[in-house]
Amino acid sequence: MARRAELQLLLLSMLLVATPAHSAPAGTIVFTTLGRSRYSFDIFALPLNHLALSSSSSFHAAASAEVRLTDGISVNYNGNFAPSSDALLFVSERNGSHNLYLSPAPKPPTSRREALEDDSPTPLLPWIEPAALRDRPSLTRDGSRLVYVSTALPANAPRRSWAAVYSARLPLSSARAPRRLTPPGVADFSPAVSPSGDWTAAASPGAAGWAGEVQDLRTDVYVFRTDDGSRRTLVVKDGGWPCWADEATLFFHRRDADGWYGVYRAKIEISDALSAVSSVERITPPGFHAFTPAASPGAPGLVAVATRRPGSDYRHIEVVDLSSGTDKAAYLEVTRPVAPRAHHFNPFVSPDGARIGYHRCRGSGNGDSPLLLESLRSPSAPDAFSLFRIDGSYPSFSPDGKRIAYVGLPGLYVVNSDGSGGRRKIFSGNAFPTSWDWKRKGVIYTSIGPDFASESTEVDVVAVSLSLSDEDTQQVSIKKLSVGGKNNAFPSPSPDGKWLVFRSGRSGHKNLYIMDAEDGEAASGIRRLTDGPWSDTMCNWSPDGEWIAFASDRHNPGGGSFSIYMVHPNGTGLRRVVHSADGGRTNHPWFSPDSKSLVFTSDLAAVSAEPIANPHHYQPYGEIFTVNIDGSGLQRLTHNSFEDGTPAWTPYFLEPRNVAETLQASGRCAFHDCYWLDIDDAQPGDDGLRYAHGNKIGC
């Protein structure tokens, strides 16, 4: 009876999360995901027995031995070999949502570097609402049970991760609903199943939860039963990304006080009563980063790791040979000889120890063009609104829905929303954000100058007027509207086209002001809307003209916490709509076409994966949400481990299909590794580390 009640609660919770609080107006929501449009990840493998000792006593792999295991459709990553064969488990974002797939064991290569299957990969889980993240798949030894991470169920408090480990018996059916192994109120990341299939290890912050970290998550390693999550035991303090070498050996990574990520080996003892650690030792020395370890019973003494070494701008896969002891460990280069100028992520080793897998970009440099717009599965009814990711930042739709303006930081661009004609650069400097005039055709408001700057930084609001003809040449004029350059930014016009609300730091604090949308401040002056020793910013005027929404830290000035507020244009009716808890960040509100809802980005759902497993994201906790303007009906729209932000909403419904760039931008694979892994030569007083751009920048 308890098991049946648990399943009923799970299914009911899924239904409640999937059901919007009101019938949202038809339209389209577009947002940005930092770098995601350029990933083009596929999963590759190299045979470990092909590694040969060279005259320089280092190991090298021939490029001709590399095999591509996934089919080049969408983004494919975080693979794992099935325990009884070389069949491949992996995560894919095809069809507009995350799912877990199984591909058959590869056939002999048909060409250099490529061995693609005739059979399409098989989805292991049905698509459900909400469109939850599914990640880090593993199969038990007999192939009957799938273990994975999912964000299907909401956390019980703001700024708590939805990520939890689930177990599903295959094939899935109504009588075999997935079972949550993670306790309520707790998050788990990066699960790994033991060779016997009896035990699962995972990284978890435990009851403490997430504290806003954007680098290492301060997790511990727990072990629990794979079938029901019982006998959960903390076995390693301060560790992440566990993997099993055998039933008594776990590898994991940890960032130590010296600043370096290192890989550790823990010997554990599991009895009927408890699980305990008998020893922990570091197997990679300081002086370079080593993380996301992988091991296999078929390769005793070997552990695969991703590394970032001084002098390299890329992460690569190496194999550490511990057969002669930790002090004499040999390092076998795997990916650098094959693709030296590409990032390689999250290795995994076949059960027989014969192959090592990883994911990287299938292209290099300026290969195939990225998607301009990527259609995602919406958690609402398909006729409510369509949901798109754009390859740019701060997008906004023209009043007729036919064009989208966005910025490239630097650069201001305009594209047709159907993808025709390619993107047009109309300004080459740094501009942010974008909003279109409701009445004057072809007028875009933006601010020119540095983003993320202090109150006194020179930034001004401008109106960009352009011809919207289909010709290649077009007239562009720029008119400065604000005066003084004291960080005047985030302009948003009133629906009658007469006024412009914006933020300014002219008082020494960032507050909101209103000026004439056409004549600007110099001709008509300004009116102050908010006043206080805090930051009011990221404002948006409602389509019905009644409200201005904005982000503010007025509840905790200077504390780094932002919430969504609303105020009438005459300064009355101030109220807070969304608060993601003390320390939380809820930003970039944009009204729905009927002015009854807001779309925004927030850390309400914390993080969904260990940030080090991904490319660079300044804020890997950002997700897109909607809420009614009275604060009810909160709904999560995106589920991923990336940084989503700067959403906009148009009343026009775009058909849910992907739109490719017709004019190549900077191409696929144009993204960075985590900046906080960037290392120059060791400098005295830097604890061996020196970070890019002179700052310790969060990933």
Side-chain angles (χ1 to χ4, degrees):
M1 289 296 291
R3 170 66 174 146
R4 178 176 295 180
E6 181 185 28
L7 291 176
Q8 290 173 342
L9 178 61
L10 175 64
L11 294 173
L12 177 60
S13 299
M14 290 180 177
L15 178 62
L16 288 174
V17 175
T19 303
H22 72 277
S23 179
T28 299
I29 292 174
V30 63
F31 66 94
T32 185
T33 303
L34 180 69
R36 163 60 182 75
S37 300
R38 297 164 186 269
Y39 289 174
S40 64
F41 287 147
D42 266 322
I43 296 176
F44 295 78
L46 279 162
L48 278 175
N49 58 14
H50 194 88
L51 298 170
L53 186 64
S54 71
S55 58
S56 62
S57 299
S58 62
F59 287 83
H60 296 278
S64 59
E66 187 183 57
V67 175
R68 194 174 83 182
L69 300 180
T70 49
D71 54 12
I73 298 174
S74 186
V75 177
N76 309 298
Y77 57 96
N78 282 355
N80 203 351
F81 288 114
S84 59
S85 69
D86 274 347
L88 178 70
L89 292 160
F90 64 99
V91 182
S92 183
E93 296 185 20
R94 63 192 66 201
N95 301 319
S97 65
H98 288 78
N99 207 342
L100 308 178
Y101 290 81
L102 181 66
S103 284
K107 301 172 184 175
T110 57
S111 63
R112 188 175 183 265
R113 286 192 169 202
E114 196 163 316
L116 302 182
E117 298 301 317
D118 294 332
D119 298 329
S120 298
T122 302
L124 292 175
L125 298 170
W127 188 82
I128 62 169
E129 294 186 1
L133 175 143
R134 283 89 170 261
D135 199 7
R136 297 287 294 159
S138 296
L139 282 173
T140 55
R141 182 169 56 183
D142 61 3
S144 66
R145 190 181 293 274
L146 174 69
V147 176
Y148 61 99
V149 168
S150 177
T151 57
L153 292 180
N156 57 4
R159 301 187 81 231
R160 307 284 290 198
S161 176
W162 296 22
V165 175
Y166 290 79
S167 174
R169 284 199 171 276
L170 300 178
L172 205 63
S173 66
S174 58
R176 290 182 167 185
R179 180 168 193 165
R180 179 173 171 138
L181 305 183
T182 303
V186 174
D188 278 338
F189 309 101
S190 315
V193 176
S194 70
S196 69
D198 294 338
W199 300 95
T200 293
S204 176
W210 180 64
E213 305 96 328
V214 296
Q215 297 181 13
D216 53 309
L217 295 185
R218 303 177 189 172
T219 55
D220 303 321
V221 177
Y222 290 78
V223 170
F224 45 85
R225 294 284 301 178
T226 302
D227 56 353
D228 59 6
S230 63
R231 295 177 57 187
R232 184 182 177 96
T233 306
L234 192 160
V235 294
V236 174
K237 291 285 292 182
D238 189 16
W241 204 270
C243 70
W244 300 82
D246 53 52
E247 292 295 306
T249 307
L250 278 173
F251 290 99
F252 62 93
H253 65 214
R254 170 189 293 165
R255 192 176 190 181
D256 278 339
D258 56 23
W260 301 103
Y261 273 94
V263 171
Y264 290 74
R265 177 171 54 193
K267 290 293 185 180
I268 65 173
E269 298 174 353
I270 300 177
S271 67
D272 291 339
L274 52 85
S275 302
V277 171
S278 59
S279 66
V280 174
E281 63 174 329
R282 184 171 183 163
I283 66 166
T284 62
F288 66 96
H289 289 303
F291 44 87
T292 59
S296 169
L302 300 182
V303 57
V305 299
T307 65
R308 277 294 301 276
R309 290 185 175 269
S312 174
D313 292 329
Y314 299 91
R315 68 170 74 183
H316 283 292
I317 307 304
E318 301 182 39
V319 171
V320 187
D321 186 351
L322 299 170
S323 57
S324 299
T326 304
D327 294 339
K328 298 180 180 179
Y331 289 82
L332 295 69
E333 288 190 318
V334 177
T335 60
R336 190 185 65 82
V338 177
R341 298 183 62 82
H343 293 296
H344 299 76
F345 297 85
N346 307 349
F348 55 100
V349 183
S350 63
D352 60 5
R355 312 176 80 204
I356 183 168
Y358 45 87
H359 64 266
R360 66 166 174 82
C361 259
R362 50 184 169 265
S364 61
N366 295 334
D368 52 334
S369 295
L371 292 174
L372 168 65
L373 292 168
E374 181 182 11
S375 174
L376 304 181
R377 298 289 287 269
S378 168
S380 294
D383 59 350
F385 57 81
S386 53
L387 184 64
F388 284 89
R389 172 187 289 128
I390 192 170
D391 185 30
S393 296
Y394 295 106
S396 65
F397 286 90
S398 60
D400 61 6
K402 293 181 179 180
R403 290 171 178 85
I404 303 172
Y406 66 94
V407 300
L409 299 174
L412 173 63
Y413 300 88
V414 172
V415 296
N416 295 335
S417 55
D418 64 2
S420 63
R423 67 177 190 161
R424 310 172 193 177
K425 179 184 281 189
I426 61 175
F427 179 71
S428 59
N430 200 65
F432 70 100
T434 68
S435 59
W436 295 74
D437 191 278
W438 295 83
K439 300 297 183 180
R440 292 188 294 151
K441 187 175 182 180
V443 174
I444 301 169
Y445 299 104
T446 187
S447 44
I448 294 176
D451 50 318
F452 298 104
S454 67
E455 286 82 356
S456 61
T457 304
E458 186 173 351
V459 183
D460 269 307
V461 172
V462 301
V464 181
S465 301
L466 64 152
S467 165
L468 296 179
S469 68
D470 293 330
E471 300 175 2
D472 292 336
T473 59
Q474 58 183 3
Q475 297 286 332
V476 176
S477 63
I478 298 178
K479 179 180 180 179
K480 190 171 79 165
L481 298 177
S482 59
V483 175
K486 297 293 186 180
N487 210 332
N488 304 297
F490 290 97
S492 179
S494 61
D496 60 9
K498 294 180 179 180
W499 308 104
L500 202 64
V501 63
F502 66 103
R503 76 105 194 271
S504 178
R506 63 188 65 201
S507 70
H509 302 283
K510 295 175 181 176
N511 292 142
L512 302 186
Y513 298 79
I514 293 176
M515 66 178 166
D516 188 283
E518 188 169 358
D519 295 333
E521 178 181 353
S524 304
I526 61 171
R527 175 169 61 87
R528 188 164 188 165
L529 181 61
T530 64
D531 186 358
W534 46 67
S535 291
D536 298 331
T537 186
M538 305 173 192
C539 40
N540 182 251
W541 210 311
S542 66
D544 64 8
E546 290 295 315
W547 292 100
I548 291 170
F550 61 99
S552 178
D553 68 347
R554 59 177 55 215
H555 53 278
N556 182 22
S561 174
F562 280 81
S563 297
I564 302 297
Y565 290 80
M566 286 172 46
V567 66
H568 289 303
N570 64 5
T572 65
L574 177 71
R575 70 169 187 259
R576 187 166 67 184
V577 183
V578 181
H579 179 52
S580 63
D582 293 340
R585 295 183 179 181
T586 299
N587 291 314
H588 300 290
W590 195 285
F591 278 97
S592 63
D594 65 358
S595 302
K596 295 180 180 179
S597 305
L598 290 166
V599 62
F600 60 94
T601 184
S602 180
D603 64 355
L604 277 162
V607 295
S608 298
E610 293 190 55
I612 198 172
N614 283 331
H616 174 70
H617 287 269
Y618 289 99
Q619 299 171 161
Y621 47 75
E623 302 286 354
I624 306 299
F625 292 80
T626 59
V627 70
N628 298 334
I629 61 172
D630 64 1
S632 66
L634 182 70
Q635 185 180 16
R636 181 177 178 177
L637 298 189
T638 62
H639 292 249
N640 58 57
S641 57
F642 313 133
E643 176 189 348
D644 296 332
T646 64
W649 204 335
T650 180
Y652 295 94
F653 183 83
L654 296 186
E655 291 298 326
R657 63 180 182 87
N658 292 340
V659 177
E661 286 268 23
T662 56
L663 294 180
Q664 184 171 314
S666 56
R668 299 278 191 174
C669 309
F671 59 86
H672 298 284
D673 199 7
C674 297
Y675 286 145
W676 42 275
L677 295 176
D678 289 353
I679 314 160
D680 293 332
D681 294 332
Q683 299 292 314
D686 281 346
D687 293 327
L689 297 182
R690 200 150 49 86
Y691 290 78
H693 311 298
N695 294 299
K696 295 180 179 180
I697 301 176
C699 176

